[in-house]
Amino acid sequence: MLHSFDILCKILFMFTTLVGHTKCNPPLNTEESVTQLGYPLEKYKLQTLDKFTLGLERIPYGKHGDRTIGKPILLMHGLFLSSFVFSNTNKSLSYSLSEAGYDVWLFNARGTGLSRTYSIYSKAGTAPRMNKMSWDFSFHEMGVYDFPAVVDFVLNKTGRAKLDVVGYSLGATIALVGLSEKPSYNSKIDKLVLMAPTTRMISYGFPVSAFYRGSLLFKYTMKEQSFFPAAQDPDAAHRYLRWLCTYRILYPFCLLYIDTAQGSRLNYKRDMVISTITDFPQPVSKKMLFHWVQLMSSKRFCKYDYGTNGNMQYYNMKSPPDYNLSKVTTPVYILHSKNDHLSAIKDVNWLRSKLPNVKDVYFINSIKFGHLSFVMHDNIDRLVNNKIKNALSTNAFN
């Protein structure tokens, strides 16, 4: 039975064939992007304590210099994204850090990027099976299982005692959940950079507000689905969407798609928009989206609500407990922006007040800078990459 996203992709394929686009390139992924730009790449597979398979990409050193492997740093992507968001252009953060001497590790949460590839394909050339893996998880499981598993794996592989972490959007959420629920891991993180962090959702704007208002309808339509968007072959879906966006007459709709996703209209370059759509949106579990709705309705940063009976079983209390952010003792550096409607100023300031060891905050308000700008802006090197490298090396964004 075809899913709605698969049907859309087939329609797009027929359309592009009709207008004469008969030859298409395969969609880029992290591996292809890294190797095409001339950087070394290693791939690793590991398993979490709850038996989920994760995939990691690694850029051990830059393409310039003496190939010395430096301090490890873990980059953690946002919602509906994968590690590709840190490596899709030559200005991406992974390359900037690599050339600065870091050993860059790229995280893929369960169900996304290389982790999804390892989980749904039996072997090369076979059809994907999205139901081959369980989708019964939210960002809580990613924080409690994925984050510690990856941190331990990187430290064991490199022989280091500590690593740095950059968490973008959902990646910041995962890191905060992991460090609050497993406080012993604070001793394994040297510095934690939170980029457009999402925790308590009280001051959100569009499109989050629209999603929240339509959450009852969304829950109804998702009754028979375990993940969203519902596509049995996400890789083919991304390929078809990318084809569509290469047509100048249709490109404005692709830009509108990106603008709608972040809730603000910005003039991103065409190549960057097409590159982002190559990998966006990654499948997200229904439970994950329901958890976000719960945060919006409760105005708290708390664990998943299983209902009164379920909460008594899981937490021995009628309502889900808050995450104890006072346990995040790692030195924290926060980047956020004025025009970010997903990581709003009021919510970031609340997060800042709850964390006991915030060292510096960098607020972008001089230009229009949205949620996706942190990984898509043309001046990302100056506005983001250099600031992060400063924080890591000098303990301040400067």
Side-chain angles (χ1 to χ4, degrees):
M1 181 177 178
L2 287 173
H3 287 62
S4 57
F5 205 41
D6 294 301
I7 295 172
L8 171 63
C9 291
K10 288 185 177 296
I11 292 173
L12 296 179
F13 175 74
M14 290 187 290
F15 174 80
T16 53
T17 302
L18 286 172
V19 296
H21 194 53
T22 57
K23 185 177 180 180
C24 302
N25 294 320
L28 288 172
N29 54 35
T30 300
E31 178 179 5
E32 292 179 358
S33 183
V34 171
T35 54
Q36 283 181 18
L37 287 170
Y39 286 85
L41 177 75
E42 298 174 5
K43 296 193 299 183
Y44 297 93
K45 182 190 293 188
L46 62 143
Q47 199 170 56
T48 65
L49 285 176
D50 61 342
K51 307 302 181 184
F52 273 81
T53 300
L54 302 181
L56 284 172
E57 292 103 356
R58 179 191 189 186
I59 306 174
Y61 47 82
K63 62 181 178 180
H64 307 101
D66 59 2
R67 298 190 176 187
T68 299
I69 298 178
K71 183 181 181 182
I73 186 166
L74 178 66
L75 306 187
M76 302 177 65
H77 60 80
L79 187 68
F80 291 116
L81 298 168
S82 74
S83 64
F84 184 66
V85 77
F86 290 121
S87 60
N88 57 358
T89 75
N90 59 2
K91 293 183 178 180
S92 293
L93 180 60
S94 62
Y95 307 125
S96 183
L97 290 171
S98 177
E99 294 299 346
Y102 287 92
D103 177 10
V104 179
W105 293 77
L106 298 169
F107 175 84
N108 292 281
R110 57 183 67 188
T112 66
L114 189 61
S115 296
R116 175 172 53 79
T117 298
Y118 283 151
S119 299
I120 69 170
Y121 291 94
S122 298
K123 56 183 178 180
T126 60
R129 289 175 49 204
M130 291 292 283
N131 61 354
K132 188 180 176 184
M133 60 174 282
S134 168
W135 291 90
D136 183 22
F137 58 82
S138 179
F139 57 75
H140 177 81
E141 286 75 18
M142 293 177 177
V144 171
Y145 296 110
D146 296 9
F147 179 69
V150 169
V151 168
D152 285 338
F153 184 89
V154 171
L155 294 181
N156 289 336
K157 191 71 180 178
T158 60
R160 298 270 186 157
K162 290 188 175 186
L163 76 163
D164 292 322
V165 175
V166 176
Y168 165 55
S169 189
L170 172 68
T173 312
I174 294 170
L176 291 170
V177 169
L179 294 173
S180 60
E181 290 294 291
K182 294 189 175 290
S184 63
Y185 277 81
N186 283 278
S187 64
K188 301 182 181 185
I189 311 300
D190 193 12
K191 295 174 183 175
L192 172 63
V193 178
L194 304 178
M195 187 164 63
T198 48
T199 51
R200 188 188 70 164
M201 305 287 286
I202 194 173
S203 303
Y204 50 83
F206 183 84
V208 179
S209 57
F211 173 68
Y212 178 57
R213 291 189 189 102
S215 59
L216 289 178
L217 176 61
F218 176 75
K219 287 183 177 181
Y220 177 78
T221 59
M222 287 294 293
K223 272 187 177 180
E224 304 300 321
Q225 303 294 339
S226 55
F227 57 90
F228 176 85
Q232 282 302 318
D233 190 349
D235 298 315
H238 292 137
R239 179 169 66 248
Y240 296 143
L241 289 174
R242 186 170 183 262
W243 287 345
L244 180 67
C245 293
T246 60
Y247 291 92
R248 292 190 179 278
I249 192 171
L250 297 175
Y251 170 74
F253 296 99
C254 300
L255 179 59
L256 178 62
Y257 172 50
I258 292 294
D259 289 338
T260 302
Q262 69 169 356
S264 57
R265 188 167 181 80
L266 295 169
N267 292 320
Y268 294 123
K269 286 195 172 180
R270 185 170 178 269
D271 289 348
M272 181 63 81
V273 172
I274 294 173
S275 177
T276 300
I277 286 176
T278 297
D279 196 58
F280 175 83
Q282 289 286 301
V284 172
S285 71
K286 173 172 66 176
K287 186 176 181 180
M288 170 88 80
L289 295 176
F290 286 3
H291 199 168
W292 284 116
V293 171
Q294 173 198 318
L295 297 187
M296 287 180 260
S297 61
S298 68
K299 304 188 188 318
R300 300 162 54 205
F301 184 42
C302 56
K303 299 180 184 180
Y304 191 80
D305 190 347
Y306 291 96
T308 302
N309 292 335
N311 291 336
M312 290 299 297
Q313 178 183 347
Y314 280 96
Y315 314 122
N316 199 30
M317 52 196 304
K318 291 184 179 180
S319 61
D322 290 342
Y323 290 107
N324 188 353
L325 293 173
S326 68
K327 293 185 177 181
V328 183
T329 56
T330 297
V332 172
Y333 301 79
I334 301 175
L335 297 87
H336 65 125
S337 65
K338 180 180 179 180
N339 302 111
D340 190 341
H341 298 296
L342 282 75
S343 178
I345 298 170
K346 190 173 182 179
D347 291 331
V348 173
N349 287 339
W350 172 87
L351 172 63
R352 181 182 180 181
S353 71
K354 296 296 180 181
L355 294 171
N357 198 10
V358 176
K359 296 298 185 183
D360 199 9
V361 177
Y362 172 52
F363 179 52
I364 303 174
N365 64 349
S366 58
I367 61 171
K368 197 171 183 181
F369 204 85
H371 195 70
L372 287 171
S373 298
F374 287 92
V375 289
M376 286 184 65
H377 200 278
D378 189 46
N379 291 324
I380 191 174
D381 237 357
R382 177 175 61 85
L383 295 169
V384 176
N385 298 352
N386 288 344
K387 295 295 182 180
I388 290 176
K389 287 186 290 187
N390 286 342
L392 294 174
S393 61
T394 68
N395 302 322
F397 288 116
N398 297 334

